[in-house]
Amino acid sequence: MPGHVSFVGAGPGAADLLTLRAMLRLQSAEVVLYDALTDASLRSVAPHAQWVDVGKRGHCAGATPQARIDALLVGMARQYAKVVRLKGGDPSIFGRLEEEIAALQANGIGFDIVPGITAALAAAADSARPLTRRGRGRSVALTTAVTAEGQLRGGRHADTEVFYMAGRQLGALGRRLLQDGWSPDTSVLVVSRAGCPDVLSSSHFLQELAHATLLHSGRPTVVTVGAGAQAVGYPPVAAVKAQPVKQPSAAA
Amino acid sequence: MPGHVSFVGAGPGAADLLTLRAMLRLQSAEVVLYDALTDASLRSVAPHAQWVDVGKRGHCAGATPQARIDALLVGMARQYAKVVRLKGGDPSIFGRLEEEIAALQANGIGFDIVPGITAALAAAADSARPLTRRGRGRSVALTTAVTAEGQLRGGRHADTEVFYMAGRQLGALGRRLLQDGWSPDTSVLVVSRAGCPDVLSSSHFLQELAHATLLHSGRPTVVTVGAGAQAVGYPPVAAVKAQPVKQPSAAA
């Protein structure tokens, strides 16, 4: 008889943003399949489980193909009674959960899903910038900045738009969003390592988004655009301002 | 010297979907201001705190106006060192967080924000219907079905659209979404009391959304429309089918 798989949302990284339900699943797991994005400190929750890294961060050459992860998951569920498939953030948001559920279903393996804090929520909390705003911020869209094929994507779906996996291409994303009809002075908030003690956030006008590149380099990053990127009680401000191309005259 | 306010996301209701960080904030709180939507069982996390119901569920006549909540929050933070403002789901999503932050800022009161599981994520987990899908479900929008003024809203912002506060007007929402360009056979998933032991979910074609009204009556309900509403591994199916208006002929 096969075991049971729990898909568990790890949240954005910090172990104290796990839910209690996630914690319980981890504590009773015999084996934990986890992604490279997951914070290493989460291991302390289940020190006696076998931890298997199946990470496929970004679209690197060394990434584990999804089909191999599916096969590994099925194999582990045949060997162990309690398997946890730990996913960064929330399993239902950009977690490729569909493929793994289908693999389990095809093999008659039972599962459940424990939701997690997705990065957009942690970024909003850390920066005190609510994703919805009275009157002007009534819808929020979550989008990947990069497709599975590695193509950059923009879009203007809602009053507030949050782009995931955007860190490597902030300049190109900014240009793309201008093409998509966002105004150059749209407020943009860039947050990396949301939810963690070393979180960094910076505010920009859309036309200056490229300036955020260095600060957030090499860190998991979400980019919030529009109403939800504005500081509460203030008109949009740019914390990182462009240097003027021409120096102002002495009289200025 | 004023106290400190923690805005804490309670998640969709079940106490085990609190994060550990939320739990710690509750345990050290002297006073907890909470909404009617919050599950009563959460009280056991902070049994010695003073619990104050400031609920304004829906748009009822007896609802607490936002300005009164703001004033109460400021007043409590002047009286107590540790105040928790507990909000259903995630504070940054449809939580009217902006107004309360502005009130604290205007009075020099410090605060932090602890994210929570928003209902869309819990609904996706409970129904095993990931909000993003490979190739066809690349963006997710979260929208309220009803404005602050009580007006019904639809929209077609993304591949998957999740409507909050939709329970009372499922039939009208369905008609509105047809007008907004969604096809009559679009998959729709209705989930009430997501994340809780008594969760209910039902699948429909958009044109038959009104059929879900009775099942979910009087329960907090989210409605997922589009790619993310489909069952994994199946073409869209309608669990609640309309009775055919004309009986099929005997030959059928």
Side-chain angles (χ1 to χ4, degrees):
Chain A
M1 208 183 118
H4 179 91
V5 174
S6 290
F7 294 99
V8 172
D16 68 341
L17 287 180
L18 279 177
T19 66
L20 301 180
R21 193 181 295 178
M23 196 86 148
L24 289 173
R25 293 292 191 286
L26 280 168
Q27 282 169 349
S28 66
E30 293 157 85
V31 59
V32 179
L33 305 183
Y34 70 102
D35 292 317
L37 275 174
T38 303
D39 205 288
S41 74
L42 291 173
R43 283 192 184 218
S44 62
V45 177
H48 303 299
Q50 180 188 341
W51 284 71
V52 180
D53 182 355
V54 297
K56 51 181 167 62
R57 186 172 185 157
H59 300 283
C60 312
T64 311
Q66 186 62 47
R68 268 197 56 205
I69 296 178
D70 298 349
L72 189 62
L73 188 60
V74 169
M76 287 295 187
R78 285 190 174 137
Q79 254 182 287
Y80 298 96
K82 295 198 172 180
V83 176
V84 161
R85 174 70 177 101
L86 189 64
K87 286 173 175 285
D90 178 70
S92 303
I93 301 272
F94 307 124
R96 300 203 189 170
L97 180 59
E98 185 181 24
E99 292 91 327
E100 296 180 28
I101 288 176
L104 295 183
Q105 284 180 339
N107 288 278
I109 296 164
F111 65 91
D112 69 338
I113 303 165
V114 180
I117 303 292
T118 190
L121 308 186
D126 282 344
S127 58
R129 308 220 176 168
L131 292 166
T132 58
R133 305 297 175 98
R134 188 155 212 167
R136 68 192 194 289
R138 292 172 159 172
S139 57
V140 180
L142 314 179
T143 313
T144 42
V146 181
T147 66
E149 298 76 34
Q151 273 195 303
L152 182 74
R153 294 178 62 229
R156 186 173 186 173
H157 299 92
D159 301 330
T160 300
E161 187 108 18
V162 185
F163 292 93
Y164 284 59
M165 294 166 253
R168 292 192 194 168
Q169 309 196 48
L170 291 174
L173 178 64
R175 291 189 295 275
R176 180 63 188 261
L177 293 176
L178 290 173
Q179 289 167 18
D180 290 335
W182 293 95
S183 154
D185 64 353
T186 301
S187 297
V188 181
L189 173 73
V190 182
V191 182
S192 56
R193 300 258 310 147
C196 301
D198 62 340
V199 58
L200 286 177
S201 73
S202 60
S203 297
H204 311 266
F205 290 128
L206 178 54
Q207 62 190 353
E208 296 161 355
L209 180 53
H211 297 184
T213 304
L214 193 61
L215 181 64
H216 302 281
S217 175
R219 299 159 54 95
T221 300
V222 295
V223 176
T224 303
V225 179
Q230 294 175 8
V232 170
Y234 295 95
V237 288
V240 178
K241 283 285 287 182
Q243 292 301 317
V245 175
K246 295 181 185 179
Q247 289 301 317
S249 72
Chain B
M1 206 185 118
H4 179 91
V5 174
S6 291
F7 294 100
V8 172
D16 68 343
L17 286 180
L18 280 177
T19 66
L20 302 180
R21 193 181 295 179
M23 195 86 149
L24 288 173
R25 293 292 190 284
L26 279 168
Q27 283 168 349
S28 66
E30 292 158 87
V31 59
V32 180
L33 305 183
Y34 71 102
D35 293 317
L37 274 174
T38 303
D39 204 288
S41 73
L42 291 174
R43 283 193 185 220
S44 62
V45 176
H48 304 300
Q50 180 188 342
W51 284 71
V52 181
D53 183 355
V54 296
K56 51 181 166 61
R57 184 172 184 153
H59 302 282
C60 311
T64 310
Q66 185 63 48
R68 266 199 56 206
I69 296 178
D70 298 348
L72 190 61
L73 188 59
V74 169
M76 288 295 186
R78 288 190 173 136
Q79 254 182 288
Y80 297 96
K82 294 197 173 180
V83 177
V84 162
R85 174 69 176 102
L86 190 65
K87 287 175 173 284
D90 176 71
S92 303
I93 300 274
F94 307 124
R96 299 201 190 173
L97 179 58
E98 186 182 21
E99 293 90 327
E100 296 180 28
I101 287 177
L104 295 184
Q105 284 179 339
N107 289 278
I109 296 163
F111 65 90
D112 69 337
I113 303 166
V114 181
I117 304 291
T118 189
L121 308 186
D126 282 345
S127 58
R129 308 219 176 168
L131 291 166
T132 58
R133 305 297 177 97
R134 187 156 211 165
R136 67 192 196 287
R138 291 171 161 172
S139 58
V140 180
L142 314 178
T143 312
T144 42
V146 181
T147 67
E149 297 75 36
Q151 272 194 304
L152 181 74
R153 295 177 62 230
R156 186 174 187 173
H157 299 93
D159 300 330
T160 300
E161 187 110 16
V162 185
F163 293 94
Y164 283 60
M165 295 167 250
R168 291 191 192 169
Q169 309 196 47
L170 291 175
L173 178 64
R175 291 189 296 276
R176 179 65 188 260
L177 293 176
L178 291 172
Q179 289 168 16
D180 290 334
W182 292 93
S183 155
D185 65 353
T186 301
S187 296
V188 182
L189 173 73
V190 183
V191 182
S192 56
R193 300 258 308 146
C196 302
D198 62 339
V199 58
L200 286 176
S201 73
S202 61
S203 297
H204 312 267
F205 291 129
L206 178 54
Q207 62 189 352
E208 296 161 354
L209 180 52
H211 297 184
T213 305
L214 194 60
L215 181 64
H216 302 280
S217 175
R219 299 159 53 95
T221 299
V222 293
V223 176
T224 303
V225 178
Q230 295 175 6
V232 171
Y234 295 95
V237 289
V240 178
K241 282 285 289 181
Q243 292 301 316
V245 175
K246 294 181 181 180
Q247 291 301 316
S249 73

